[in-house]
Amino acid sequence: MSLLEVRQLSMRFGGVQALERVSFTVAEGKIIGLMGANGAGKTTLFSLIAGNERPSSGEILFENQSLAGLRPDQVCRRGVARTFQVVRPFAGLTVIENVTTAALFGMRRYRDRAQARDAAAAVLQELELGDRAEALAGSLTLSGQKRLEVARALATGARLVLLDEVMAGLTPMEVEAMLLTLRTLHRTRGLTLVVIEHVMRALMQLSDEILVLHSGRLIAQGEPPAVASDPEVLRLYFGEAA
Amino acid sequence: MSPARDLMVVLALLGASAGVPFLGGDYWIGVGITAFMWVALTQSWSLLSGLSGYVSLGHVVFYGLGAYVVVASWEVLPIAVSLALAAGAAAVFAFATGMPVLRVRGPYFVILTFGVAELVKFVVMAAEAAAGNASRLILGTPEIETLFFLMLALAAAATVLAWGVRVSRLGHGLRAIREDEEAAETLGVPVARYKLLAFVLSACIPGAVGGAMALRNTYFEPLQAFDPMISFSMIAMAVIGGSDDLRGPVVGAACFVFLSEMLWANAPQLYMIILGLLLVIFVLFVPEGLCGRLFRSRGA
């Protein structure tokens, strides 16, 4: 069954058509990779799904219910979480306080603060941030802050997690570690993931299916090997000669 | 230190100061009233601004409205009722103005709150002038000892309220809003509702405090009741004491009352200069305030 369905989604910022009639579905339990050059509309797509922006037209269904008109906090409580490409930690709070916020207010909505904190601590263990729990979030390395973004998204209890370049700027070893973490999380938690990534190899390895955006349009869609050999994709990524 | 211990410490201090009327004369009772007033105001201000980062430069508007309500209902309603009404009026005003005002952030919010307070001041002045009152005198106000305990109760109530918010979901959400509002909203924090709730909660006790101070001053004059210096002082005390710490407002208020008692009578200009210097020094070098620096408390 499809967990997320995007229908004819368009977004215009002034004179710029950021997204143009994009449609796709995401089946439950899958990992979907989202590819495209800078400005292709990937982050805009996340912002629309998460309710940070309102689409110009089109529809987004989550569990067959429309997300139209919902605020980000309401979308989060329905079970959709996103991370930010440019990390946005609550820098003045500790790592565990950051994650506890998500546990308290996300989909799971713990009533009890001690329980929320325990849940947050468990998520930090999964993300290998357990020993940094009491550090200020602003003091983490980039790799740590990327992990914190993922930890917060998970702690909301979301069923669909939108990961926006959580591997960008990491060293190759950190990328490997993050890939391993994401695969483990996907398997143990039965999460559905939509992943934006520029590290092409990582995305190809991780995803069940790849979507390619170009100038706001969806130009290719399919299993990684098929997309990698798609003539349109090759032309855009490697130029006419390829 | 845990927030519950902080609460006990502050309440114990306030409780101990209840002995002042039995030991000292009217002078010390007066100092006590002033100190409790600042504790109550600063504690309320910190509840909003310290936690959410929305710095209100117009909190005097709630104080002034409270004073106006009490004076306008003098000899019409029992004092207890008019004080409750003062708190209620401040809360209703916060609710009504909060929805538009809390839509803007940062310096715009600061300026807007200041503007709203000034606007209300001039509206009240115009209304009083139209009614033929330059100022109002009220006679037969309660004894100074009664006002002392009233203000002590308000300071304790503001402290308990601020503590309750700090250890609740609301407090946790407000801290997240302070750090990054959009990220907080994306993680499920109902930001608009929480900001409004904090604004209303931070308004009601200043309303009652304004009412109580009208009884203490026995007269009402809009320029004095809506004096922007009252807003500035709340901020200065919170900054110096520490705005994300339950003990901060007490420490800040104690410093200021001490300074003002030392200097106000003999060298008022010096008082203002020192106050300004302290504020600059703290904002630049100790933004977390005395409590934040000394105790390194991480809050709830």
Side-chain angles (χ1 to χ4, degrees):
Chain A
M1 126 186 189
S2 77
L3 188 64
L4 178 75
E5 185 174 354
V6 172
R7 286 183 189 158
Q8 298 289 311
L9 198 65
S10 293
M11 181 64 179
R12 178 177 281 284
F13 294 106
V16 180
Q17 189 78 43
L19 284 176
E20 198 175 341
R21 294 200 298 280
V22 170
S23 299
F24 63 92
T25 60
V26 176
E28 185 160 11
K30 296 288 184 196
I31 301 182
I32 308 297
L34 194 53
M35 267 171 56
N38 288 329
K42 305 180 300 293
T43 296
T44 301
L45 182 60
F46 275 13
S47 293
L48 294 178
I49 297 171
N52 301 108
E53 308 269 2
R54 298 275 158 94
S56 309
S57 64
E59 212 178 359
I60 301 163
L61 301 175
F62 179 69
E63 297 179 314
N64 294 318
Q65 288 191 310
S66 173
L67 298 181
L70 296 186
R71 297 186 310 263
D73 57 307
Q74 294 169 318
V75 174
C76 176
R77 288 198 288 279
R78 289 280 183 92
V80 180
R82 75 169 290 187
T83 67
F84 290 96
Q85 181 184 355
V86 178
V87 292
R88 308 184 74 155
F90 302 133
L93 304 183
T94 62
V95 169
I96 189 137
E97 283 170 340
N98 268 262
V99 182
T100 304
T101 307
L104 278 172
F105 293 99
M107 185 191 179
R108 220 171 269 149
R109 296 193 80 63
Y110 284 96
R111 301 313 304 178
D112 183 80
R113 281 163 56 95
Q115 273 179 20
R117 209 178 157 86
D118 289 345
V123 173
L124 286 179
Q125 289 299 334
E126 287 183 83
L127 270 298
E128 288 160 26
L129 281 171
D131 55 335
R132 304 288 289 153
E134 298 301 331
L136 285 183
S139 74
L140 294 181
T141 60
L142 178 65
S143 165
Q145 295 194 352
K146 294 268 183 188
R147 282 175 178 271
L148 178 58
E149 284 278 329
V150 178
R152 287 197 312 196
L154 288 183
T156 64
R159 302 183 56 206
L160 173 65
V161 179
L162 313 174
L163 299 174
D164 197 346
E165 298 202 19
V166 291
M167 290 176 257
L170 303 190
T171 65
M173 266 175 70
E174 289 168 342
V175 168
E176 284 304 319
M178 184 65 105
L179 273 174
L180 187 65
T181 307
L182 291 180
R183 280 210 196 84
T184 309
L185 288 170
H186 172 248
R187 199 177 56 240
T188 55
R189 291 174 165 254
L191 285 176
T192 307
L193 303 175
V194 180
V195 185
I196 295 178
E197 207 52 66
H198 275 301
V199 184
M200 200 61 59
R201 197 176 51 83
L203 197 64
M204 290 288 174
Q205 279 180 24
L206 189 67
S207 309
D208 297 310
E209 195 182 335
I210 302 268
L211 303 175
V212 184
L213 278 175
H214 180 70
S215 301
R217 287 177 307 114
L218 193 60
I219 59 159
Q221 176 172 10
E223 291 182 4
V227 169
S229 58
D230 184 288
E232 179 80 355
V233 175
L234 290 175
R235 191 177 62 79
L236 285 167
Y237 271 79
F238 303 106
E240 298 290 345
Chain B
M1 231 200 279
S2 75
R5 294 244 312 267
D6 292 350
L7 177 69
M8 290 306 149
V9 168
V10 174
L11 289 183
L13 265 172
L14 290 174
S17 57
V20 166
F22 306 104
L23 300 171
D26 279 4
Y27 170 76
W28 287 105
I29 297 176
V31 171
I33 292 177
T34 310
F36 299 148
M37 171 187 93
W38 288 121
V39 170
L41 292 178
T42 307
Q43 204 69 273
S44 299
W45 180 89
S46 295
L47 186 167
L48 171 75
S49 302
L51 284 177
S52 76
Y54 275 72
V55 173
S56 164
L57 194 56
H59 247 53
V60 72
V61 73
F62 307 122
Y63 174 96
L65 282 173
Y68 195 39
V69 165
V70 165
V71 169
S73 63
W74 182 244
E75 289 178 333
V76 178
L77 296 172
I79 289 179
V81 175
S82 68
L83 281 172
L85 207 61
V92 168
F93 183 78
F95 184 78
T97 53
M99 279 188 272
V101 168
L102 288 162
R103 283 173 177 271
V104 297
R105 295 183 211 177
Y108 303 101
F109 179 78
V110 177
I111 292 164
L112 194 54
T113 49
F114 180 75
V116 167
E118 288 291 288
L119 176 70
V120 172
K121 177 172 85 180
F122 287 108
V123 168
V124 171
M125 278 169 68
E128 287 292 277
N133 302 320
S135 64
R136 296 187 192 220
L137 208 61
I138 53 176
L139 297 172
T141 52
E143 294 292 318
I144 191 170
E145 286 85 359
T146 312
L147 292 174
F148 176 92
F149 288 110
L150 171 63
M151 205 60 93
L152 175 60
L154 287 173
T159 303
V160 172
L161 182 66
W163 171 78
V165 170
R166 271 160 214 278
V167 299
S168 70
R169 298 168 70 80
L170 174 60
H172 200 112
L174 291 172
R175 284 197 182 91
I177 290 170
R178 177 185 72 201
E179 297 295 324
D180 187 329
E181 188 163 340
E182 195 183 350
E185 190 172 31
T186 302
L187 293 176
V189 179
V191 295
R193 191 151 51 88
Y194 271 24
K195 287 188 296 184
L196 189 60
L197 187 55
F199 200 49
V200 169
L201 289 176
S202 82
C204 39
I205 287 179
V209 169
M213 280 311 279
L215 298 175
R216 158 90 169 126
N217 296 329
T218 69
Y219 74 98
F220 173 82
E221 204 271 304
L223 278 177
Q224 198 188 36
F226 290 92
D227 184 356
M229 269 307 291
I230 296 175
S231 299
F232 302 158
S233 301
M234 283 183 230
I235 300 178
M237 290 182 203
V239 167
I240 289 173
S243 61
D244 191 3
D245 191 305
L246 204 59
R247 295 155 297 178
V250 180
V251 172
C255 291
F256 271 68
V257 171
F258 174 75
L259 251 182
S260 108
E261 292 305 320
M262 296 293 288
L263 296 173
W264 191 245
N266 310 316
Q269 295 86 348
L270 199 58
Y271 170 70
M272 295 303 291
I273 290 168
I274 293 178
L275 198 155
L277 277 176
L278 275 178
L279 195 57
V280 170
I281 290 168
F282 271 80
V283 167
L284 283 177
F285 302 112
V286 200
E288 72 274 40
L290 278 176
C291 286
R293 175 61 59 97
L294 294 178
F295 306 119
R296 294 252 172 238
S297 139
R298 291 274 345 122

